Amino acid sequence: MNNSAANTGRVLWAGLRALLVLTVVCGVLYPLAVTGIAQLAFPGKANGSEVKADGKVVGSELIGQTYNLPLKEGEETAAPDLRWFQPRPSNGLGTNSVNTQYSIILSGATNRSGDNEDLIQWVKDAKAAVVKDNSTADHKVKPSDVPAEAVTSSGSGLDPHISPQYAKLQVHRIAEKNNLTVAQVDKLVADHTDGRIIGFIGESRVNVLQLNIALKELTKG
């Protein structure tokens, strides 16, 4: 009986020692080592790919955001502030959309099929809005000019990028609203267009937040 109790005690003590050692190694030393390496090797990405403007963090280059006018009383969805480049829709387009404000908590797709009547109507309404919003006195946008991502959300609904085609479609409106020349805004888009990763992965893209920060700096000048 005594031997059995002693054996049980040794087993329990060995298990406790293993628990303590693994807790220190896996719960303290390993996280500290990984965090330290990340902060030294790529601090920007380790801290959430923060984007700063005027010394303040204004967002992340990985998460999209809206550029809207203040929500008025009685409105369910704020109108876009047309002085800024607009992102692609976030999870749908209508008042019944899953997520219209780039809320991280509600990330995800609309989960509606291509022949869903509500989705079809949202896309039609969105295309009409894009044509109307981006047409100016001397430049008319055609429905055929509107790229797909201008009227559809990404799988996560949080995509921070738009295509160069959609950015260029907005150039005339941005120039008019900010008293800039079309050439100035064209150059802005070109300067902030990222090519394919390693030359062949993915598509060319424009980060809307970084583009709008550059636009703000340009309007200051």
Side-chain angles (χ1 to χ4, degrees):
M1 193 71 160
N2 290 335
N3 289 336
S4 177
N7 289 336
T8 300
R10 284 195 295 271
V11 171
L12 290 175
W13 175 234
L16 180 59
R17 283 182 295 174
L19 175 62
L20 292 173
V21 170
L22 290 173
T23 298
V24 172
V25 172
C26 298
V28 179
L29 298 180
Y30 176 73
L32 286 176
V34 171
T35 301
I37 293 172
Q39 290 296 330
L40 289 173
F42 33 84
K45 292 183 178 179
N47 292 325
S49 299
E50 295 174 338
V51 176
K52 294 183 178 181
D54 298 325
K56 298 180 180 179
V57 176
V58 295
S60 168
E61 65 181 31
L62 303 177
I63 304 294
Q65 55 183 273
T66 56
Y67 304 88
N68 293 334
L69 295 169
L71 192 65
K72 297 180 180 179
E73 185 176 353
E75 288 184 338
E76 294 185 11
T77 304
D81 189 340
L82 299 179
R83 296 174 301 167
W84 305 104
F85 284 94
Q86 293 297 312
R88 64 188 302 174
S90 179
N91 288 351
L93 305 160
T95 55
N96 295 320
S97 300
V98 177
N99 176 15
T100 60
Q101 299 297 323
Y102 278 89
S103 173
I104 299 176
I105 296 175
L106 297 175
S107 65
T110 57
N111 293 326
R112 295 178 184 269
S113 64
D115 60 355
N116 180 271
E117 293 184 1
D118 288 337
L119 180 62
I120 292 172
Q121 189 59 51
W122 291 345
V123 169
K124 288 181 177 179
D125 292 344
K127 178 174 281 193
V130 169
V131 170
K132 178 183 177 182
D133 289 344
N134 291 284
S135 293
T136 64
D138 58 355
H139 177 77
K140 300 300 180 184
V141 175
K142 301 176 182 178
S144 58
D145 295 333
V146 180
E149 93 273 359
V151 296
T152 57
S153 65
S154 63
S156 68
L158 303 175
D159 192 347
H161 299 99
I162 58 176
S163 69
Q165 290 77 16
Y166 187 28
K168 291 176 181 178
L169 182 145
Q170 303 182 57
V171 163
H172 285 80
R173 183 249 302 164
I174 293 293
E176 182 180 76
K177 295 291 184 181
N178 292 281
N179 296 316
L180 299 170
T181 67
V182 171
Q184 284 178 300
V185 184
D186 259 330
K187 185 177 184 304
L188 199 67
V189 172
D191 290 345
H192 289 82
T193 297
D194 298 320
R196 295 182 175 186
I197 301 172
I198 321 180
F200 66 94
I201 299 176
E203 299 293 338
S204 298
R205 63 208 181 281
V206 180
N207 187 287
V208 182
L209 174 57
Q210 293 176 335
L211 182 60
N212 278 331
I213 291 173
L215 173 62
K216 183 178 180 180
E217 292 298 319
L218 183 61
T219 56
K220 284 181 180 178

